[in-house]
């Protein structure tokens, strides 16, 4: 059986972590790349021995030899590229966020349903062994009625204007790293439908003269997105969530870490902590509190970005339903949209259907 042919849009960044997965998959062959930066594209083609190189992504999308489009372009291009790819008969894996707002994701879902092509957001944290272990354990702790999650950095914001200007990215840490921890938390909670959001979105530290990023120099004047956001979310099933995300916060980090990413899940029978993979429960007979490590294999033999590509290739080759449907990404973006709207009007936002 011939292999599925893959083309990547945006070869200069996160695409480097996708390439091993396409090579490892028994179902795919990476044959093409597209990037608006000519020198980056040519260097990438030489390094990866790829001859089909396109400066215009639409030319690659319309190449009849290509079966799968892997979108690694800036956020604000995701929707248009994914829609055009699905209309051209391609299955689409798209880097996070699937789109920078909920309305665009709704359009993508409409086209997915019309074309019957596969569409999946590359939420790579779901493919880690510790995440999958917590997902399994979450079925055993009873109804999850509350969760807390955060992804916090000290002074580690992206320095590229592709991240720091809203017209390119759609937002700050909400859009950049919030999608990771929020998607993971909702997945652990079995993706309840969000009802309302009370949120704040601020730029408190990044504009200060003394602020800096360990990632390099950044343009403080041009930056027009938040550096911190927080939210309280209510769900239709009665559950609640507290979320915090930041690129730049006076927060103590774990040793040798650039960020602190945690999820706490509180069920009627027990609690869970990710990424420590701990269960917190009571022993009624001894009247004691117990915290212990969950037993399981936590060694990731394949890096998570590569694994998501391998699994997506399997979904396409064997016509399986994707494990991260666009409806999950829509839930994430409804909440993040709600944070910005709540900040703007200063009160709780009731989310649309």
């Amino acid at each position: 059986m011939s292999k599925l042919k893959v083309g990547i849009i945006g070869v200069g960044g996160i695409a480097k972590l996708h390439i091993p997965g396409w090579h490892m998959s028994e179902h795919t062959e990476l044959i093409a790349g597209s990037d608006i930066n000519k020198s980056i594209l040519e260097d990438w083609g030489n390094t990866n021995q790829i001859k089909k190189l396109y400066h215009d992504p639409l030319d690659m999308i319309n190449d009849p030899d290509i079966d799968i489009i892997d979108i690694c372009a800036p956020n604000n291009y995701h929707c248009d590229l994914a829609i055009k790819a699905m209309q051209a008969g391609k299955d689409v894996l798209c880097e996070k966020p699937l789109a920078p707002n909920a309305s665009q994701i709704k359009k993508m879902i409409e086209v997915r349903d019309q074309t019957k092509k596969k569409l999946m957001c590359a939420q790579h944290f779901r493919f880690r062994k510790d995440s999958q272990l917590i997902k399994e354990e979450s079925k055993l702790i009873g109804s999850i009625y509350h969760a807390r999650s955060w992804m916090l950095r000290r002074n580690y914001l992206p320095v590229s204007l592709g991240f720091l200007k809203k017209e390119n990215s759609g937002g700050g840490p909400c859009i950049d790293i919030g999608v990771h921890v929020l998607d993971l938390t909702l997945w652990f909670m079995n993706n309840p439908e969000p009802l309302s959001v009370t949120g704040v979105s601020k730029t408190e530290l990044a504009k200060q003269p003394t602020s800096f990023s360990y990632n390099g120099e950044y343009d403080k004047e041009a930056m027009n997105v938040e550096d911190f956001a927080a939210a309280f979310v209510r769900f239709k099933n009665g559950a609640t969530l507290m979320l915090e995300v930041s690129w730049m916060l006076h927060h103590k980090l774990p040793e040798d870490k650039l960020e602190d990413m945690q999820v706490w899940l509180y069920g009627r029978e027990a609690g869970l902590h990710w990424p420590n993979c701990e269960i917190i429960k009571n022993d009624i007979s001894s009247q004691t509190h117990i915290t212990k490590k969950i037993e399981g294999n936590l060694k990731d033999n394949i890096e998570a970005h590569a694994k998501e590509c391998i699994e997506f290739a399997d979904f396409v080759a064997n016509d399986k339903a994707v494990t991260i449907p666009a409806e999950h990404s829509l839930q994430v973006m409804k909440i993040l949209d709600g944070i910005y709207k709540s900040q703007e009007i200063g009160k709780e936002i009731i989310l649309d259907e």
Side-chain angles (χ1 to χ4, degrees):
M1 182 177 177
S2 61
K3 290 190 174 185
L4 298 163
K5 305 300 190 297
V6 179
I8 298 178
I9 300 176
V11 301
I14 199 69
K16 296 180 179 67
L17 296 177
H18 288 213
I19 290 170
W22 298 125
H23 288 324
M24 284 187 274
S25 170
E26 63 179 314
H27 302 298
T28 56
E29 178 184 1
L30 179 61
I31 69 164
S34 174
D35 201 286
I36 60 173
N37 188 308
K38 183 177 180 181
S39 62
I40 288 177
L41 180 62
E42 291 177 351
D43 288 345
W44 180 85
N46 291 331
T47 299
N48 294 281
Q49 298 180 324
I50 303 294
K51 294 183 178 179
K52 285 196 171 191
L53 303 176
Y54 299 88
H55 300 303
D56 186 340
L58 297 183
D59 290 338
M60 189 176 77
I61 284 172
N62 291 316
D63 184 335
D65 292 337
I66 295 175
D67 304 294
I68 294 173
I69 294 291
D70 182 2
I71 299 175
C72 297
N75 300 345
N76 278 352
Y77 298 98
H78 289 183
C79 177
D80 187 52
L81 290 171
I83 285 175
K84 285 182 167 57
M86 289 185 287
Q87 290 173 336
K90 320 300 185 187
D91 295 293
V92 176
L93 178 68
C94 180
E95 254 303 325
K96 59 79 189 169
L98 188 59
N101 58 64
S103 62
Q104 290 186 6
I105 294 178
K106 289 178 182 178
K107 293 177 183 177
M108 296 163 82
I109 290 173
E110 289 177 6
V111 175
R112 179 205 64 187
D113 292 345
Q114 292 167 1
T115 61
K116 308 301 181 185
K117 303 310 296 183
K118 298 191 188 301
L119 171 67
M120 189 175 94
C121 186
Q123 298 283 173
H124 72 276
F125 277 97
R126 289 203 197 188
F127 295 88
R128 287 174 33 162
K129 286 284 184 67
D130 53 7
S131 301
Q132 292 168 353
L133 184 59
I134 288 293
K135 176 63 175 175
E136 286 301 309
E137 289 292 324
S138 69
K139 301 173 185 177
L140 307 176
I141 68 169
S143 175
I144 298 174
Y145 58 89
H146 184 59
R148 297 163 59 206
S149 59
W150 60 83
M151 192 166 183
L152 306 173
R153 294 177 177 175
R154 183 75 182 269
N155 286 297
Y156 193 69
L157 56 78
V159 298
S160 167
L161 286 179
F163 290 91
L164 301 182
K165 292 183 72 65
K166 188 173 183 178
E167 51 269 36
N168 295 328
S169 62
C174 273
I175 305 298
D176 178 35
I177 57 179
V179 291
H180 283 310
V181 71
L182 181 54
D183 175 78
L184 198 61
T185 306
L186 295 181
W187 183 52
F188 291 154
M189 297 175 74
N190 203 30
N191 289 97
E193 191 64 31
L195 174 65
S196 67
V197 178
T198 303
V200 294
S201 170
K202 303 179 179 182
T203 305
E204 293 286 353
L205 301 183
K207 297 280 191 176
Q208 292 185 9
T210 55
S211 293
F212 61 94
S213 173
Y214 291 124
N215 203 26
E217 295 295 324
Y218 64 97
D219 191 335
K220 296 179 182 180
E221 294 300 320
M223 178 180 176
N224 62 3
V225 296
E226 80 279 2
D227 63 25
F228 167 81
F232 178 76
V233 185
R234 295 180 185 270
F235 297 92
K236 292 182 180 180
N237 67 355
T240 52
L241 164 67
M242 295 181 69
L243 172 72
E244 296 171 292
V245 293
S246 182
W247 284 331
M248 187 169 281
L249 192 70
H250 296 313
H251 177 78
K252 184 177 180 180
L253 297 179
E255 190 173 352
D256 299 324
K257 299 290 185 182
L258 292 170
E259 60 197 9
D260 179 11
M261 182 173 175
Q262 297 188 45
V263 178
W264 292 83
L265 305 168
Y266 303 104
R268 297 183 185 275
E269 304 299 325
L272 290 171
H273 180 272
W274 179 94
N276 289 354
C277 289
E278 292 179 331
I279 186 165
I280 302 96
K281 60 183 179 179
N282 297 331
D283 186 307
I284 298 174
S285 61
S286 63
Q287 298 276 298
T288 57
H289 305 301
I290 299 171
T291 299
K292 68 175 184 178
K293 287 281 189 180
I294 302 165
E295 294 183 4
N297 177 18
L298 295 178
K299 184 178 180 181
D300 284 301
N301 295 320
I302 301 175
E303 197 274 333
H305 292 88
K307 195 181 297 184
E308 69 192 357
C309 296
I310 295 170
E311 294 209 16
F312 185 74
D314 181 59
F315 301 151
V316 175
N318 295 300
D319 196 22
K320 300 177 182 177
V322 302
T323 53
I324 309 176
E327 286 78 3
H328 288 185
S329 297
L330 179 59
Q331 289 178 332
V332 169
M333 288 314 304
K334 279 183 177 181
I335 292 171
L336 298 182
D337 282 353
I339 293 175
Y340 293 132
K341 292 175 184 176
S342 180
Q343 170 67 30
E344 183 179 349
I345 68 171
K347 63 180 183 180
E348 183 181 45
I349 294 292
I350 305 300
L351 301 177
D352 296 331
E353 294 293 337

